[in-house]
Amino acid sequence: MPKSRSNPALVIRALLVGVALVAANVHAQAPAQRPIRLVVTFPPGGSTDIAARLVAQRLSESLRIAVVVENRPGGNSVPGTDYVAKSAPDGSTLLMATSAFGVIPSLLGTLPFNAVDDFTPVAFVATFANVLVVNPSLRATSVGELIELARRSPGTLNFASPGAGSTSRLAGELLKQSAGIDIVHVPYKGGAPALADLIGGRVQLMFANVSEVVQPIRAGQLRGLALTGKDRMAVLPGVPTVADAGYPGLEVINWQGILAPARTPVDMVRRLNAEIRRAVQSPEVVERFQALGITPAEGSPEDLGVHIRAEIAKWAQVIRAGGIKPD
């Protein structure tokens, strides 16, 4: 039999197809070929920044690509969020979104981005509750007693918050609306000065981050009345949930999640989701999260998208009913 001869053109074509397939496979597995920037719209040192750095470190290890936290605070989170919205959809720029992401569309009205259309949900990171705390001088040891006290003396109780866009502020408004009481909002430039005045008795109540009030509650400087989450917490064993206290409508769960610009390829999103879920469930991250009073979250990109749309709708109603404006 005569020997078959290779066709050079066919060989070259086969090689090119093989190279293309390998490149496509690598592209599907790696979210980016350059360092990933995880944008945090708050200053360094807060719980969101710490959580972002923990996740970034684990992602760097698993993806073998540098993942760098980039802080872009200020402007009610708008400038940093808009920066990510207008970044290339190649997996190299991500946003560490928080509960504020579901609030600012209704609070601020006009935005340079669309919170739903301009982003691709990637993964949940964590959830955490607030705790309703009062100054011990207030004669209320339960949510029911607080509401009754407010009804007897309308307009005399003040509640502190770090600002209009915070879940602390919105939880206070939710309490006003659901219980039909008149309590006065006192805005502060941050949680620390608000807590200082609460402990000092200049304001009477506040929905505060759990991590910020554990020690004051243990020291008797504050009294915890109810957690706004679904579950009780080991760090505050004597504090019931709002549902246990008989007020399930006061449930407010803070969240953190990672978003990418719209039109980020699905394969990148799936890979990032898997790696982020693995990161937040690692023993080291779980331990650090627990110290911050937050809980690792699970969920698909679709789950995060559904949650964000529900949050936007929920807070739009509360903000509209309360006539809330930016501070």
Side-chain angles (χ1 to χ4, degrees), residues 232-244:
R232 295 194 181 213
M233 300 186 69
V235 293
L236 294 173
V239 180
T241 66
V242 287
D244 290 339

Side-chain angles (χ1 to χ4, degrees), residues 135 188 191-203 206:
N135 185 281
Y188 288 82
L195 284 172
D197 272 9
L198 179 61
I199 292 171
R202 287 173 285 277
V203 290
M206 179 179 178

